[in-house]
Amino acid sequence: MSGLELHPALPLLVGGLLLAVVPLSVRRVGIVLLPVLGFANLLQLEHGEVMAQLLGYELAVLRVDKLSLLFGYLFHLAALLAAIYSLHVKDAVQHVSGLAYAGSAVGAVFAGDLLVLFFFWELLALTSVFQVWARRDRASTSAGTRYLIVHVASGLLLLGGVAQRLQSGESLRFDALSVETPGSWLILAAFGIKCAFPFVHTWLVDAYPAATPTGTVFLASFTTKTAVYALARGFAGLELLIWIGTAMAMFPIFYAVIENDLRRVLGYSMINQIGFMVVGVGLGEGLGVNGAVAHAFNDVIFKGLLFMSMGAVLLRTGRINGSELGGLYKSMPWTAGFCMVGAASISAFPFFSGFVSKSIIMYEAAHRGEVWVWLALLFASAGVFHHAGIKIPFFAFYAHDSGLRPPEAPLNMRVAMGISAVLCILIGCLPGVLYDLLPYSMTYEPYDVTHFLTQLQVLFFSALAFTVLMLSKVYPPELPSVNLDVDWFVRRAIPRTAATVGRPVVLVSSAVGSWVAGIPRAILTLAGWLHSPKGRLGDPWPTGITAFWAALLLFVVLVYSYWFA
Amino acid sequence: MVSGEKSSSEKRHIWDNPKNVQRLLVVFFICCALLLLADLFVHRHPAFEHEELNLEQAFGFHGIYGFVACVILVLLAKQLRKLVMRSEDYYDGEPKP
């Protein structure tokens, strides 16, 4: 390192915060320029580490290698796209917190040890929640608060793991962590929450649809991908992850089919895609981790693009439920077209980005002889096309005509979607550009006849199933509704149970409380009675007796001072 | 942003014409048939090198699997609705977190 370059988190983090005090016109230049400057700074970095002394510990505040650089590039690209997408926004809170959030993610992936990681991990939670709160209504306020509680808890688990490792004399370095110690399990749990593992996934489908149209684009890019990075760094090859990832790829697609809020559909679909990445990490070093991080890279772009198209629909119509939309291709043709590029990419159509990364994971699962995992992932692939590839564009832009004729998305949104769409196709056609950035060298060729043909067969016959089910009216209609997920326990069952079980407790404690509170009242009543004209102390006292009592009191004070003071 | 409403003098868009929808469906069905038939002429190399899953080499495996997967997905999801679907205002008036 030449020493001239900045820590890569600083341009976005500090620069972003400085934007809070400048006028809107300057801020708009700043949010686009800072990711570009940050990227230029990134290109100056050489592989290696920078250490710093803090609180008596030698901390690796910066570790640069292929894995961290890949995510560094990705997060700057995502920050730039989200910044362009949110140029029309006037709200300083969203711009400032958006860039600071991106900077926190960059800091986390360049952290060389766990204490530095913890710092940026918590900063991610604190900076990102404003993308939800910025909507400034009751629902987003409470969804944001729930989101924040979950992510702060994830940070505390990480801190607990760090403390446990310190106590047992283990290193604080953030390299592969063995799962032999309780500290590592705590750290895995912390990563799992941010990665939306099953049963701790509801923060994602709760908060992302509650955020502002532009906020969801920021949110979709950084938090879960930082967690995928952390898993790849700390727990590559952990077999448990193969099974967790398979479950993540499978269960959300059922929810996605029946969900009405199209941004929540994308939230479930996001968990499904992260499932593929977690399987990749579980398959271990080499092709497994390569597939996971390549898919994370592509997912940020195509999922960002899908969230952008739905954000544009929400901005222009004020609606996002499938049951209230339809026919928008007539007045928003560009947004519809970009959405379909994102849909083709997430569905892994040949020549679109998803194809060249998801296939690595599938290939490696088969190579390892994981039959059930492979079959489940193939099922999930068909399901992705079904709910994200077809359902999202179909119910928003086609289906029955809702009669809405909103204007096309603002120019800045179309530019951001256009760049994302070009990137999806570019990476799909020239995968070598992405493959060169991957942490492990590999000889993998995504385009061969077998893979090309089988993938098209899976996709076309999934579409055929959709067509047949639609024409025969078996397909479940979009209905205005809420679907219960495991957060029901926290949001409904526990508060209700607590209220029921707590009732006797409240009654008893209030009875005890009123009895206890009665004691001072009784003393006061007694004192009042004693001092009343008829009371014992209400009598006129002779001076001598008063002097005696006063002297006795002084004596007691004197003796007390002598012995004890 | 107030969304526009459709006006009566609007031009007819491409999918307003049922004939265009019919044409698209016909082209789509032909594509599906050709993809299935391609299995007869293309030698696919196996994904599983040690023959853990011989079924994948069967004629039309990927197409049939994709079709069946999606039908199962939708039918199960419809059952899931019975279990988890509630009215839109279900969580309204929830206590503060």
Side-chain angles (χ1 to χ4, degrees):
Chain A
M1 308 246 170
S2 66
L4 290 172
E5 61 283 299
L6 285 168
H7 187 287
L10 291 180
L12 291 172
L13 201 54
V14 178
L17 291 176
L18 287 178
L19 292 184
V21 294
V22 299
L24 178 63
S25 52
V26 181
R27 181 150 39 84
R28 282 184 169 151
V29 177
I31 55 168
V32 175
L33 209 55
L34 282 170
V36 177
L37 291 176
F39 189 79
N41 178 57
L42 212 56
L43 294 176
Q44 307 294 313
L45 297 178
E46 292 161 19
H47 287 209
E49 292 188 6
V50 175
M51 308 296 288
Q53 283 283 343
L54 194 74
L55 305 169
Y57 292 105
E58 180 92 351
L59 297 179
V61 288
L62 177 60
R63 179 237 322 259
V64 183
D65 61 9
K66 267 196 124 171
L67 185 58
S68 52
L69 270 178
L70 173 89
F71 278 87
Y73 297 144
L74 173 62
F75 288 163
H76 281 81
L77 178 63
L80 177 66
L81 291 171
I84 297 173
Y85 184 77
S86 59
L87 270 177
H88 66 284
V89 173
K90 295 194 178 77
D91 182 12
V93 171
Q94 293 185 58
H95 285 157
V96 171
S97 68
L99 282 196
Y101 172 36
S104 314
V106 172
V109 296
F110 282 102
D113 65 47
L114 292 165
L115 219 49
V116 180
L117 178 71
F118 164 75
F119 174 76
F120 285 111
W121 200 258
E122 289 289 34
L123 211 54
L124 264 178
L126 296 177
T127 49
S128 57
V129 71
F130 291 98
Q131 302 296 330
V132 185
W133 281 340
R135 213 165 169 198
R136 297 180 172 86
D137 59 22
R138 196 171 157 277
S140 61
T141 303
S142 47
T145 307
R146 286 192 293 271
Y147 167 91
L148 188 61
I149 291 170
V150 170
H151 283 272
V152 169
S154 159
L156 292 179
L157 284 173
L158 179 56
L159 186 63
V162 171
Q164 204 281 332
R165 285 179 74 87
L166 264 182
Q167 203 171 23
S168 55
E170 289 170 280
S171 158
L172 281 190
R173 286 198 55 82
F174 182 28
D175 293 319
L177 305 166
S178 91
V179 285
E180 305 295 311
T181 62
S184 300
W185 281 104
L186 286 175
I187 293 170
L188 179 61
F191 293 175
I193 290 176
K194 255 202 180 27
C195 210
F197 279 7
F199 302 108
V200 285
H201 66 277
T202 53
W203 62 265
L204 198 161
V205 287
D206 184 19
Y208 284 16
T212 64
T214 56
T216 314
V217 176
F218 274 102
L219 289 169
S221 301
F222 303 110
T223 298
T224 52
K225 302 310 173 298
T226 305
V228 168
Y229 161 83
L231 281 179
R233 176 74 75 186
F235 297 100
L238 180 64
E239 200 193 337
L240 177 65
L241 292 179
I242 298 178
W243 301 107
I244 293 176
T246 306
M248 288 172 77
M250 286 292 279
F251 89 87
I253 59 180
F254 294 93
Y255 270 97
V257 169
I258 55 172
E259 178 58 50
N260 190 24
D261 181 328
L262 295 182
R263 291 200 300 173
R264 188 166 285 126
V265 172
L266 288 177
Y268 279 113
S269 137
M270 190 162 183
I271 300 173
N272 151 280
Q273 294 298 305
I274 300 166
F276 280 90
M277 298 168 211
V278 173
V279 170
V281 172
L283 290 170
E285 293 177 355
L287 282 180
V289 169
N290 267 2
V293 298
H295 203 49
F297 194 100
N298 289 337
D299 183 74
V300 165
I301 301 170
F302 62 62
K303 187 57 62 59
L305 175 54
L306 286 167
F307 271 122
M308 284 182 196
S309 65
M310 288 302 108
V313 167
L314 175 61
L315 178 77
R316 287 308 202 201
T317 67
R319 303 158 201 224
I320 196 60
N321 288 340
S323 57
E324 300 168 24
L325 294 171
L328 296 186
Y329 80 96
K330 294 176 182 176
S331 63
M332 301 179 80
W334 284 99
T335 307
F338 293 138
C339 178
M340 283 194 287
V341 173
S345 302
I346 195 175
S347 313
F349 259 92
F351 306 119
F352 291 89
S353 59
F355 182 78
V356 302
S357 50
K358 193 156 76 175
S359 61
I360 306 175
I361 300 166
M362 296 288 288
Y363 173 87
E364 183 66 359
H367 184 69
R368 297 286 188 83
E370 299 278 5
V371 176
W372 292 108
V373 173
W374 187 82
L375 284 173
L377 294 186
L378 195 61
F379 187 100
S381 299
V384 173
F385 182 45
H386 203 89
H387 73 255
I390 302 177
K391 171 171 169 161
I392 292 282
F394 184 76
F395 285 110
F397 298 107
Y398 303 96
H400 80 284
D401 191 347
S402 59
L404 298 170
R405 296 290 181 273
E408 181 55 274
L411 180 65
N412 65 303
M413 284 190 164
R414 273 180 281 159
V415 169
M417 288 190 279
I419 298 172
S420 305
V422 167
L423 285 171
C424 284
I425 297 170
L426 215 59
I427 294 172
C429 294
L430 302 167
V433 181
L434 175 60
Y435 289 174
D436 284 343
L437 296 174
L438 297 178
Y440 300 97
S441 64
M442 63 176 185
T443 50
Y444 175 77
E445 180 47 61
Y447 288 107
D448 65 22
V449 176
T450 303
H451 185 205
F452 193 86
L453 176 65
T454 53
Q455 183 67 8
L456 282 183
Q457 286 170 334
V458 169
L459 294 176
F460 269 77
F461 279 81
S462 302
L464 183 65
F466 182 82
T467 313
V468 170
L469 293 169
M470 281 302 281
L471 292 177
S472 61
K473 305 204 185 310
V474 175
Y475 197 85
E478 296 290 292
L479 294 174
S481 59
V482 161
N483 294 310
L484 306 185
D485 201 334
V486 288
D487 61 347
W488 176 80
F489 290 99
V490 186
R491 292 175 68 180
R492 180 52 70 94
I494 293 176
R496 284 279 166 97
T497 315
T500 316
V501 174
R503 201 166 189 83
V505 178
V506 170
L507 286 175
V508 169
S509 72
S510 70
V512 170
S514 62
W515 184 76
V516 171
I519 293 175
R521 201 180 307 131
I523 293 174
L524 285 176
T525 313
L526 181 68
W529 176 75
L530 285 173
H531 287 273
S532 70
K534 288 182 182 169
R536 178 72 186 82
L537 295 175
D539 289 346
W541 287 20
T543 313
I545 292 178
T546 308
F548 169 76
W549 284 112
L552 186 66
L553 185 66
L554 285 172
F555 179 75
V556 169
V557 171
L558 187 70
V559 169
Y560 175 83
S561 328
Y562 182 83
W563 290 106
F564 302 104
Chain B
M1 186 61 62
V2 179
S3 60
E5 293 290 325
K6 95 174 144 184
S7 60
S8 52
S9 62
E10 197 183 50
K11 70 161 185 159
R12 268 166 76 88
H13 290 267
I14 179 165
W15 305 121
D16 288 339
N17 185 352
K19 270 196 178 152
N20 287 339
V21 178
Q22 287 298 329
R23 282 185 196 126
L24 179 75
L25 283 176
V26 169
V27 171
F28 173 65
F29 291 140
I30 292 173
C31 286
C32 288
L34 289 177
L35 280 169
L36 192 66
L37 290 176
D39 259 9
L40 293 175
F41 306 104
V42 178
H43 172 71
R44 290 186 276 124
H45 64 73
F48 289 88
E49 290 155 27
H50 306 293
E51 300 185 351
E52 292 96 334
L53 185 70
N54 287 320
L55 197 61
E56 59 143 336
Q57 287 295 307
F59 170 77
F61 169 78
H62 288 84
I64 294 166
Y65 190 84
F67 185 89
V68 172
C70 283
V71 171
I72 293 175
L73 170 66
V74 169
L75 294 182
L76 281 181
K78 282 180 87 166
Q79 298 306 309
L80 182 67
R81 238 184 194 173
K82 291 181 185 162
L83 187 69
V84 301
M85 194 168 81
R86 297 292 184 278
S87 73
E88 237 175 345
D89 56 359
Y90 180 78
Y91 282 123
D92 289 358
E94 65 192 278
K96 289 247 158 37

